[in-house]
Amino acid sequence: MMPPKNVLIVGAGPTGLTLALDLLRRGIPCRLIEAAETPFTGSRGKGLQPRTLEIFDDLGIIEPILAAGGCYPKLRIHLGPLSMRVGSLGSSKPPTESTPYPNLWMVPQSRTEAILRERLQALGGRVEFNRTITNAHQNQDGVDATLSNGETVRVDYLIGCDGGHSTVRRTLGLKLEGEAIDEKPMIVADVEIAGLDRRDWHLWPFVKGGVIGLCPLPNTPLFQLTAKGELAGADIEGVVLKATGHRIDRIVWKSIYQPAVRMVNRYRVGRVFLAGDAAHVHPPAGGQGLNTGVQDAYNLGWKLAHVLRGGPDSLLDSYESERLPIAAAVLGLSKRLHQTRSIKRGDATNQLALHYRSSSLSSGNALGNLLPGDRMPDLRLDDGSRLFEHMRGSRATEVVTIEGQRILIRPDGYIAHIGETHFSEYAGEPTQAIMGAVSLPSRR
């Protein structure tokens, strides 16, 4: 028998890994299990939004993430013998005073997960593969979960990060409500193709049955292939060769999926929580799914840690009240982008403007263009350092501005309070004070 753990996390994708990493760095024991026998190998959720990059900075993995990826390439439309560039889904903006990571960053999902696992291992954690949950029962004192190897484990909290077919969600009797937004399934695959220019994301829009796309994946020899599922059938190579004139040398990974927008109506049932795709399923348009899951975990981690150290259980109710409305809004955005085939991204999808202004955890007054509940922008301090450098870690931060107002920043980087009140501690830990003349930027 393994020693008891405080938290059992089911599903070791980006959401589960982020939550486990965040808990471990706060000294909270947790166990992370994954049904698959081996790590995921595909590129699926390849787009990391600016807000997610800020989270990865705080978690100590931004350098390997940046090294593993690259900016989004230009789109090149092929029309018979002619081709033309039509822009990019990403941007190439320089960093600003308030936004150190302004651009959508492409990293194959398998590489993102590997980097998160490496960081988790450095903190003493690990993923238990080929293991999942088969049943769970809870009472006011804890959760008894039965695992696929016959083991029973009792924990304080159970977190379902186990994707669209979540077993944890089924044990709660919750359903993903919503709709399919495309009549036909899609295929996504990682392929090797010799002789195709890797500087562009290639699209063939007038193939019978739908568009074929080939996007070069950074720091690999691979392209991500996207197409209607029916186009591929049993002969992906033949379809692609006929449509594009380029031969697939090798298929490394492939998956069929049905584009849909679905979500649950509850994120918490007692001591059991849902996060990521277990709570909301997105189409790939806009690159929102993985990023929304990572932010679910980042919102939940510090709250779980505080409650497990003796804080009020009611704090955990704010997880659902804060994250469920955001998932609903992001799903609406993803649906519109999928249906319109728009390539406009940037501010609409970078998740920097998402906020918790209506949360019970947000109080105080506006300061310039900042409101309680907003993401705190980066600042250059009077000693030349950056605010985000000081915010790394598990504690809340209190900034004293040149105007004399105090900004209390939650452990997840959102503003809890603006006013003259001094908070010596927050969420059970002493706050970190940033003193001196700090002037807010004119805009974020």
Side-chain angles (χ1 to χ4, degrees):
M1 292 288 292
M2 294 187 65
K5 302 289 185 180
N6 293 127
V7 180
L8 175 63
I9 303 169
V10 182
T15 303
L17 285 163
T18 297
L19 180 57
L21 201 166
D22 198 24
L23 289 173
L24 282 180
R25 71 173 181 156
R26 299 174 190 279
I28 301 299
C30 65
R31 187 171 177 183
L32 177 58
I33 63 175
E34 166 58 46
E37 296 183 2
T38 58
F40 178 67
T41 59
S43 64
R44 187 163 50 205
K46 64 184 184 299
L48 300 179
Q49 299 291 350
R51 179 59 188 147
T52 300
L53 295 176
E54 292 178 356
I55 293 171
F56 286 168
D57 186 328
D58 179 46
L59 295 177
I61 61 170
I62 190 61
E63 290 184 3
I65 286 288
L66 294 179
C71 282
Y72 268 54
K74 297 287 187 180
L75 295 171
R76 181 172 290 278
I77 306 295
H78 295 269
L79 306 169
L82 303 177
S83 68
M84 59 182 177
R85 277 182 165 178
V86 294
S88 173
L89 297 183
S91 61
S92 55
K93 300 175 184 176
T96 66
E97 191 84 355
S98 60
T99 308
Y101 311 108
N103 302 309
L104 179 63
W105 198 246
M106 186 188 294
V107 183
Q109 181 176 327
S110 59
R111 185 61 189 133
T112 297
E113 291 185 10
I115 292 169
L116 285 164
R117 281 196 306 274
E118 290 163 7
R119 179 64 176 150
L120 184 71
Q121 291 167 3
L123 293 176
R126 68 184 181 94
V127 178
E128 298 177 48
F129 288 100
N130 197 26
R131 191 158 299 172
T132 190
I133 189 173
T134 58
N135 210 340
H137 301 279
Q138 62 172 308
N139 57 32
Q140 62 181 4
D141 299 317
V143 182
D144 292 305
T146 303
L147 306 187
S148 53
N149 64 345
E151 177 187 1
T152 297
V153 59
R154 184 166 180 82
V155 293
D156 292 295
Y157 295 99
L158 170 65
I159 319 297
C161 305
D162 48 342
H165 300 287
S166 171
T167 301
V168 175
R169 187 182 65 242
R170 288 200 297 272
T171 68
L172 295 175
L174 298 178
K175 294 183 179 180
L176 286 172
E177 304 290 348
E179 59 180 328
I181 56 174
D182 205 316
E183 295 180 358
K184 300 175 182 178
M186 300 286 295
I187 184 169
V188 58
D190 297 343
V191 301
E192 282 190 11
I193 296 182
L196 184 59
D197 190 343
R198 295 188 61 83
R199 293 173 295 179
D200 295 325
W201 184 338
H202 302 271
L203 299 173
W204 287 265
F206 298 124
V207 178
K208 184 179 179 181
V211 180
I212 286 181
L214 286 166
C215 177
L217 297 171
N219 299 304
T220 79
L222 305 176
F223 287 82
Q224 186 189 71
L225 165 70
T226 53
K228 294 289 186 181
E230 64 176 13
L231 288 182
D235 185 21
I236 298 175
E237 295 94 332
V239 172
V240 170
L241 178 61
K242 181 177 179 181
T244 72
H246 294 275
R247 185 181 303 278
I248 292 178
D249 295 326
R250 184 166 67 107
I251 299 174
V252 177
W253 167 83
K254 66 178 178 179
S255 177
I256 302 287
Y257 68 95
Q258 181 76 44
V261 288
R262 304 184 193 277
M263 65 179 293
V264 294
N265 59 10
R266 299 182 66 182
Y267 273 31
R268 178 187 189 185
V269 178
R271 291 178 170 271
V272 184
F273 297 79
L274 299 177
D277 287 355
H280 43 78
V281 174
H282 304 247
Q288 300 295 288
L290 179 153
N291 295 275
T292 303
V294 166
Q295 293 191 52
D296 286 346
Y298 197 57
N299 181 285
L300 182 58
W302 68 273
K303 297 174 181 178
L304 274 173
H306 181 41
V307 172
L308 285 165
R309 293 192 187 110
D313 180 81
S314 58
L315 176 64
L316 293 173
D317 290 333
S318 69
Y319 168 63
E320 177 179 303
S321 65
E322 289 184 346
R323 294 304 301 168
L324 191 149
I326 283 181
V330 169
L331 279 172
L333 172 63
S334 297
K335 179 180 178 179
R336 290 193 300 274
L337 291 173
H338 179 88
Q339 292 177 332
T340 62
R341 301 294 191 266
S342 171
I343 67 170
K344 292 182 179 180
R345 297 293 189 269
D347 293 345
T349 56
N350 64 23
Q351 302 202 347
L352 295 175
L354 297 178
H355 59 79
Y356 305 131
R357 292 175 186 170
S358 62
S359 171
S360 61
L361 304 184
S362 302
S363 62
N365 305 307
L367 180 60
N369 61 1
L370 288 180
L371 291 170
D374 285 357
R375 158 200 169 263
M376 184 65 190
D378 200 4
L379 300 171
R380 186 169 296 282
L381 307 181
D382 57 357
D383 64 0
S385 64
R386 308 289 307 199
L387 175 60
F388 279 12
E389 296 172 10
H390 297 272
M391 286 170 54
R392 292 188 187 116
S394 62
R395 295 187 297 171
T397 302
E398 189 177 70
V399 173
V400 180
T401 72
I402 196 170
E403 295 88 352
Q405 296 288 299
R406 295 175 182 268
I407 305 173
L408 177 64
I409 308 164
R410 302 173 1 172
D412 59 356
Y414 290 86
I415 298 171
H417 183 81
I418 300 176
E420 297 181 355
T421 304
H422 168 56
F423 291 83
S424 60
E425 71 171 30
Y426 187 81
E429 291 192 76
T431 57
Q432 174 184 213
I434 306 296
M435 308 298 294
V438 178
S439 182
L440 293 175
S442 58
R443 56 172 171 252
R444 284 181 284 169

